[in-house]
Amino acid sequence: MGNHMENSSTHMPNTVFSLDEPHIPDWVLLLTVFITGACVLIIELMGTRILAPYFGSGIYTWSALIAITLAALALGYAFGGRLADRQPLTAILYGICLAAGLWTLATPLLARYILPLLIQIPDIRPGVLISSCILFFPSLFLLGAIGPFVIRLSTQNRESVGSTSGLVFAVSTIGSLLGALGTGFILIPNYGVQVIFTFCGALLVALAMLGNFRLKFIGYAILLTLTVLLFMLLSGKKSNAGVSIRILGQTPSFYGQLQVIQRGTEKLLLVDGIGQNYVFDNNVYSTQYINFIAALPALTESSASKHPAALVIGLGAGQLPMLLQRGGLDVDVVEIDPKIGEMAAKHFGFNLPADQICYMDGRLYFLHNQTAYDFIVTDAFSSEQIASHLLSMEALEETKAHLSETGLLAINITSVKTGEDIAALQHTLQAVFPHVRSFTPDHGAELASFVFVASRAPIHLSTKNSSFDTAQLADVKHFIAGELPDLHSNILLTDDFNPISYQRRDVQLLWRKEMTGYLGRENLEWLLL
């Protein structure tokens, strides 16, 4: 890149110059595309964090956000190129950068008012598409316009167009690469949405002031930024009038926004607004499926060991491993998110020793551990998304290899009785285990927990010699009464072909809708942003 004010006779045609146009060093122009490239990826990745509490983080949210990102960048490239040819002025370039920064700063504030309205659309698919367009299209469009502008300002003659374009694209892409890594490994696990968007917006505003270092421009930039920040400050303190829930704790995590809320006598662990566990009456009572799974070792008496060993994949609030431990089992827990463990210990009384908890992916744990267990439970969700890689034939074969000869595998999945996902999972389990039984509580609800029990040995359930309390015994009987027949699927879930997330698309929509109703719309805006 050379001094763009030299060799004016060889400049590309239709160039218009301002006599007081300042000289911009090459490094500033390269820094511009580096930072804006990083900001594109930060906005795209963080967009799901804004949308997920309202629309989930499934295929529809990601598809809408990626589509809007690509459309905004494509139109921004075209717009920036045409504008740069007509008016290749640094003041315009950094005015665009300033506008992108201000919109990025304001995005969480806009979301607070827009998303509670758009979630009322019965079908979330148009809702998430419109939301993505309103919140993220303007900033991404403006950021897309910057690359062609920098190329135009940096190009001295036609012979240098290729090398200049290549350098600009390379630096911008490196910025995007580092932006993606920084967002995933540093920003998301440690900071909330508001902080990250404020950081990104402020970075773009500072870049604009550096690029157009004029007192008048800097004054306007500071004034506009303070105006946005003032609105954010005034709207940041949310009134809890009419709110029927209380936030006991919340923290950002790599896997979602974690919250613990109190709703009457009920305490919930939420990930991106979806309940992962529900505990009642000061951690005394848990949900039906947890009581049923915790009872399975006593119902089957499948192990002759004095202290049978159990493995729970997916910690949640920690109620299930605690119940198993109290039932006389030696319990190990595998949980992918350490912050879930912190929330479970702080708010739900989870207190297993640290050497019984391993923070890693379930399949990775099987690769590194050769322990044989009498009882393995897979109960792994992130928000409404199921850990599909734990349910393939290959994953189930790995699980089977870690079971004793008479050991049991129990898998919990939230779905509907007509769901393609539960039929495919049942069929896949039957391809791996000779004995499979499927249960759901017989209460007529559309959305329910389904527990699949699999073993090498026949599975006989009996409550005759049980010592369960009244509540747990009632839950056990509800599940046993709701045993399912063969669901007749011909789909095997494999690592190569695993459509269970797609099969669950309508379940995820229903779960999000029911969760919104369960929490109460009057609580939604106050709770989620």
Side-chain angles (χ1 to χ4, degrees), residues 29 32 89-98 145-147 149-150 153:
L29 291 172
T32 298
L89 305 174
T90 56
I92 294 178
L93 169 63
Y94 291 103
I96 293 172
C97 187
L98 175 62
I146 287 174
F149 224 109
V150 169
L153 291 178

Side-chain angles (χ1 to χ4, degrees), residues 314-482:
L315 174 61
Q319 298 300 298
L320 179 56
M322 293 294 288
L323 283 172
L324 292 171
Q325 184 97 334
R326 287 200 290 268
L329 282 75
D330 294 328
V331 182
D332 290 332
V333 176
V334 175
E335 167 57 50
I336 199 170
D337 189 353
K339 292 195 175 183
I340 287 283
E342 295 172 11
M343 297 294 258
K346 183 176 181 180
H347 298 284
F348 296 95
F350 176 70
N351 59 2
L352 287 189
D355 61 356
Q356 293 177 231
I357 310 167
C358 186
Y359 291 106
M360 65 169 59
D361 177 75
R363 290 185 71 170
L364 186 61
Y365 178 82
F366 284 144
L367 290 176
H368 291 280
N369 189 287
Q370 302 304 317
T371 304
Y373 292 95
D374 301 295
F375 189 40
I376 296 178
V377 180
T378 300
D379 184 21
F381 283 88
S382 179
S383 188
E384 70 270 51
Q385 300 297 310
I386 195 166
S388 58
H389 69 294
L390 298 177
L391 305 178
S392 67
M393 278 190 66
E394 294 85 349
L396 295 175
E397 290 285 2
E398 292 167 8
T399 307
K400 181 181 177 182
H402 286 77
L403 278 172
S404 63
E405 285 302 313
T406 58
L408 288 178
L409 167 65
I411 297 176
N412 173 61
I413 180 173
T414 300
S415 189
V416 295
K417 283 189 176 181
T418 57
E420 297 175 76
D421 55 337
I422 60 170
L425 178 56
Q426 185 191 68
H427 183 56
T428 305
L429 279 165
Q430 290 168 342
V432 176
F433 291 90
H435 303 280
V436 177
R437 295 178 69 177
S438 312
F439 304 90
T440 189
D442 188 21
H443 54 41
E446 188 174 7
L447 193 67
S449 290
F450 292 79
V451 176
F452 296 86
V453 184
S455 178
R456 294 185 181 91
I459 304 167
H460 303 293
L461 304 184
S462 174
T463 60
K464 287 182 180 179
N465 298 318
S466 65
S467 58
F468 307 127
D469 62 41
T470 304
Q472 187 174 15
L473 183 59
D475 290 341
V476 168
K477 288 182 176 179
H478 275 121
F479 265 89
I480 292 176

Side-chain angles (χ1 to χ4, degrees), residues 105-127:
L105 275 175
T107 297
L109 175 63
L110 295 170
R112 186 172 297 165
Y113 296 100
I114 291 170
L115 295 182
L117 297 176
L118 292 175
I119 198 177
Q120 298 181 46
I121 299 174
D123 188 340
I124 73 165
R125 286 167 286 197

